[in-house]
Amino acid sequence: MIFIDACLKKKTPYTPVWMMRQAGRYLSEYMQVRASAGDFLSLCRDYKKASEVSLQPVDILGVDAAIIFSDILVVPLEMGLELKFEKGEGPIFPKPIQTEEDLENLDIQKGVRNLSYVYDALKLTREKLDPSKALIGFCGSPWTIATYMIEGGGSKNYAKCKKILYQNPEFLHKILTKLTLALKLYVEEQIKAGANAIQIFDSWASALEKEAFFEFSFNYMLEISNYIKKKYPHIPVILFPKGISGFLDEINGNFDVFGVDWSTPLNLAKEKLASKYTLQGNMEPCRLYDKNSIKEGVEKILDIMKDTSHIFNLGHGILPDIPVGNAKYFIKLVQEKSSK
Ligand code: CP3
């Protein structure tokens, strides 16, 4: 698997490429399966359909890895926190976490057990996937998941989370510790079901000051990564903390790949981190609207990363209205231009 080789800093015949959110609405084939499943969570819970949409980008675009179709928020959902996806509004937790009692009501064992549809989807996908392609399992970082559980949905300023962070940091640590425990077991089950690598998404890392980022987010991600690397040293771990280009000097720990978001200059990430980690990223996702801009972005990134271990990706998820022809052009261009 050339994707796994790149994660482990081995030489590859070309630069492997995939896209965050590659199983999604820009594909008409996804929209068809999604319509047949009903709503988004029903699609997540139908392991055959979840597997089908996970495989679509590999078949249609020729990406080098499939990421399992699911969502970071199914973990709190299955631990007992009611979750809704309203049309056009994104995720909503109608009864967000406010008290110690709310937290105690969440059940780690039940959550890890109820997530069997994710393990079933991974197993089926690994069976169907070409042996040369990798299957990526994932989870959210404890901090990013906690922001949704506390705010009740997406947030502009994270005021509720910050209030707890400053007024009652012990309580925030309790929430994060419980989530970390659940996530360790969850990703372990994903590996047992056939995931070849694990990515941890920390989409809201940038909401925190430097010291707070390391205390409340990065340390918990490392706890999950340490757990995996100790038990499954051959499984690459990818960390993707978004929007923290100012803190790269202090990024350190036992993981394999650092996901670079699009706002971080790639040559800066290279200078600070490429001696330790494979870098993944980081083309600006909106370049996919225009073929000339794709070509320019791909050439620039390949030039910076030549002779350095690299997985090509976008610097965040692909948007729903990207023309699929442009996505195909992007994937093919990376594979051809990087060919050695
Ligand atoms: O990358 C993939 O192709 C795998 C699937 C995947 C989804 N969500 C499917 C999804 C992954 C890896 C995620 C992760 C996720 N989910 C993150 C971290 C990555 C990031 O984008 O920052 C976050 C923050 C979430 C929470 C979430 N889920 C939000 C905020 C939304 C609504 C925004 C949106 O894009 O509509 C979702 C819904 C969601 N998750 C969709 C998909 C395909 C859209 C649902 C639909 O089909 O209508």
Side-chain angles (χ1 to χ4, degrees), residues 43-52 54-55 68-70 112-128 135 186 189-195:
L43 177 54
C44 291
R45 282 175 160 153
D46 183 329
Y47 79 92
K48 287 185 184 154
K49 288 185 172 156
S51 170
E52 190 182 344
S54 307
L55 291 163
I68 197 64
F69 182 82
S70 186
V112 174
R113 228 180 17 250
N114 285 355
L115 287 159
S116 57
Y117 51 84
V118 178
Y119 320 137
D120 291 341
L122 281 159
K123 204 164 163 230
L124 184 60
T125 308
R126 190 55 275 178
E127 276 167 25
K128 290 193 170 173
L135 177 56
Y186 177 51
E189 290 305 314
Q190 292 191 38
I191 292 166
K192 287 187 193 157

Side-chain angles (χ1 to χ4, degrees), residues 21 71-73 83-86 88-94 96 143-161 203-204 207:
R21 289 285 181 96
D71 197 82
I72 61 168
L73 300 178
L83 171 64
K84 290 182 184 160
F85 277 88
E86 306 281 356
E89 278 189 66
I92 306 227
F93 288 107
W143 160 253
T144 287
I145 297 176
T147 64
Y148 288 96
M149 296 165 70
I150 295 167
E151 302 288 338
S155 173
K156 280 212 172 72
N157 49 23
Y158 307 90
K160 295 192 180 100
C161 297
S203 307
W204 309 130

Side-chain angles (χ1 to χ4, degrees), residues 100-283:
E100 301 260 352
E101 200 191 338
D102 294 339
L103 181 64
E104 278 156 25
N105 285 335
L106 302 184
D107 187 332
I108 294 176
Q109 298 303 331
K110 192 181 98 187
V112 174
R113 228 180 17 250
N114 285 355
L115 287 159
S116 57
Y117 51 84
V118 178
Y119 320 137
D120 291 341
L122 281 159
K123 204 164 163 230
L124 184 60
T125 308
R126 190 55 275 178
E127 276 167 25
K128 290 193 170 173
L129 194 60
D130 188 285
S132 68
K133 310 274 183 178
L135 177 56
I136 305 169
F138 72 88
C139 66
S141 74
W143 160 253
T144 287
I145 297 176
T147 64
Y148 288 96
M149 296 165 70
I150 295 167
E151 302 288 338
S155 173
K156 280 212 172 72
N157 49 23
Y158 307 90
K160 295 192 180 100
C161 297
K162 298 287 186 73
K163 200 168 177 182
I164 300 178
L165 190 154
Y166 292 112
Q167 291 185 341
N168 190 358
E170 296 79 19
F171 182 44
L172 185 55
H173 277 304
K174 260 193 197 169
I175 297 172
L176 297 166
T177 301
K178 189 160 187 174
L179 276 173
T180 301
L181 252 167
L183 292 169
K184 282 183 194 169
L185 302 174
Y186 177 51
V187 293
E188 177 163 26
E189 290 305 314
Q190 292 191 38
I191 292 166
K192 287 187 193 157
N196 305 115
I198 296 291
Q199 173 153 332
I200 307 179
F201 289 87
D202 193 14
S203 307
W204 309 130
S206 61
L208 296 166
E209 291 177 46
K210 184 169 165 184
E211 288 74 21
F213 166 69
F214 287 99
E215 179 180 345
F216 293 96
S217 187
F218 198 67
N219 282 349
Y220 288 99
M221 285 203 273
L222 284 184
E223 208 180 311
I224 299 169
S225 179
N226 284 334
Y227 179 80
I228 302 171
K229 294 309 297 180
K230 204 167 170 186
K231 278 185 111 163
Y232 307 93
H234 61 292
I235 299 286
V237 176
I238 307 161
L239 301 188
F240 178 57
K242 187 168 179 292
I244 54 129
S245 55
F247 318 155
L248 296 180
D249 278 326
E250 264 129 293
I251 294 292
N252 213 339
N254 190 9
F255 62 95
D256 303 282
V257 181
F258 184 83
V260 185
D261 71 86
W262 62 266
S263 70
T264 301
L266 193 54
N267 48 12
L268 183 74
K270 182 183 170 189
E271 179 195 320
K272 307 275 183 197
L273 296 172
S275 63
K276 291 185 280 191
Y277 306 108
T278 294
L279 298 185
Q280 175 174 279
N282 76 340
M283 195 175 84

